[in-house]
């Protein structure tokens, strides 16, 4: 499925941060978002994932989006396998074995998430993408806490997803070695609010 964004404006704390944004993400393609801290990358991704409404414009294809946020979204009391099984059931899929193998989690399948390292939790959070059955992966700094080997492993997973007709939208400053287009968000920065409307340090909480 294709993700289409037309004349989109997104807001943080009620203040527009990006506006006039249009792009298409075709099956089999990857698109990397770039821009300085605070420009609105996270706000944009959350909007595309349906977690907050757009200020203006329209998005089509959002029903096929699976979102991997800054937080790993794992349940500490469940094991690695149980976490994946939970998400597989939520999305109406069944097979977690492929996700365990893809993110090198097989040896950790019976370990509670509370006992995982930061990097292991990140791998588990990313493995969740594989059990969603969704075609469009939207990811916010997915390589945080990953070592070099895990970054390469993740890049291979994304590359396989693209080869199978999926697509990926990634906010990252890391070169994943993917054949991807780059969308620089700076030209779409919204006009600053009127005097007295500055949101200050809150900008840094959501890129």
């Amino acid at each position: 499925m294709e993700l289409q964004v037309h004349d989109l404006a997104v807001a943080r704390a009620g203040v527009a941060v990006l506006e006039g944004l249009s792009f298409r993400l075709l099956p089999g393609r990857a698109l990397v978002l770039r821009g300085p801290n605070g420009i609105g990358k996270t706000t944009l991704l959350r909007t595309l994932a349906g977690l907050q409404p757009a200020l203006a414009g329209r998005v089509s294809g959002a029903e096929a989006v699976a979102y991997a946020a800054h937080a790993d979204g794992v349940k500490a009391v469940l094991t690695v396998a149980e976490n994946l099984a939970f998400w597989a059931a939520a999305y109406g899929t069944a097979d977690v074995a492929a996700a365990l193998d893809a993110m090198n989690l097989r040896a950790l399948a019976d370990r509670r998430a509370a006992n995982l390292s930061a990097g292991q939790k990140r791998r588990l959070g990313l493995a969740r993408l594989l059990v969603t059955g969704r075609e469009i992966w939207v990811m916010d700094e997915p390589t945080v806490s990953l070592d070099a080997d895990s970054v390469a492993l993740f890049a291979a997973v994304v590359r396989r997803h693209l080869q199978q007709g999926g697509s990926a939208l990634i906010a990252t400053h890391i070169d994943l070695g993917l054949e991807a287009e780059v969308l620089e968000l700076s030209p779409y920065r919204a006009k600053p609010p009127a005097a007295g409307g500055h949101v200050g340090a809150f900008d840094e909480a959501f890129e």
Side-chain angles (χ1 to χ4, degrees):
M1 178 174 287
E2 179 178 338
L3 180 67
Q4 295 185 20
V5 173
H6 179 72
D7 202 21
L8 190 68
V10 300
R12 180 173 57 236
V15 178
V17 289
L18 295 170
E19 59 187 6
L21 179 61
S22 298
F23 66 86
R24 297 171 65 195
L25 179 59
L26 300 175
R29 305 296 294 272
L31 181 63
V32 174
L33 297 181
R34 293 279 166 78
N37 289 346
I39 196 169
K41 295 188 292 294
T42 294
T43 303
L44 172 60
L45 296 182
R46 285 175 53 83
T47 302
L48 297 178
L51 298 178
Q52 64 183 70
L55 196 62
R58 67 178 186 269
V59 177
S60 62
E63 65 274 13
V65 166
Y67 179 48
H70 280 147
D72 297 314
V74 302
K75 296 185 178 297
V77 299
L78 299 182
T79 67
V80 167
E82 288 170 343
N83 266 281
L84 290 176
F86 171 84
W87 286 109
Y91 283 96
T93 59
D95 184 21
V96 303
L100 288 170
D101 291 336
M103 293 306 299
N104 195 24
L105 293 167
R106 176 70 67 177
L108 302 171
D110 296 325
R111 184 177 298 183
R112 287 178 58 190
N115 298 324
L116 299 175
S117 69
Q120 290 166 343
K121 287 179 181 176
R122 193 59 171 167
R123 278 160 42 207
L124 174 55
L126 294 172
R128 182 178 59 179
L129 292 169
L130 289 157
V131 303
T132 64
R134 299 288 177 88
E135 301 164 54
I136 304 169
W137 290 359
V138 171
M139 295 165 278
D140 196 353
E141 298 293 350
T143 60
V144 171
S145 300
L146 295 184
D147 59 23
D149 288 342
S150 295
V151 169
L153 188 70
F154 170 68
V157 167
V158 175
R159 194 174 294 111
R160 191 176 310 119
H161 178 65
L162 300 178
Q163 291 169 348
Q164 294 171 348
S167 57
L169 178 62
I170 314 170
T172 182
H173 296 285
I174 302 297
D175 183 3
L176 295 174
L178 301 172
E179 185 175 332
E181 297 180 32
V182 175
L183 176 59
E184 174 57 56
L185 293 179
S186 295
Y188 304 99
R189 189 193 297 268
K191 296 177 182 178
H198 181 58
V199 295
F202 186 80
D203 279 356
E204 296 300 321
F206 295 99
E207 292 185 12

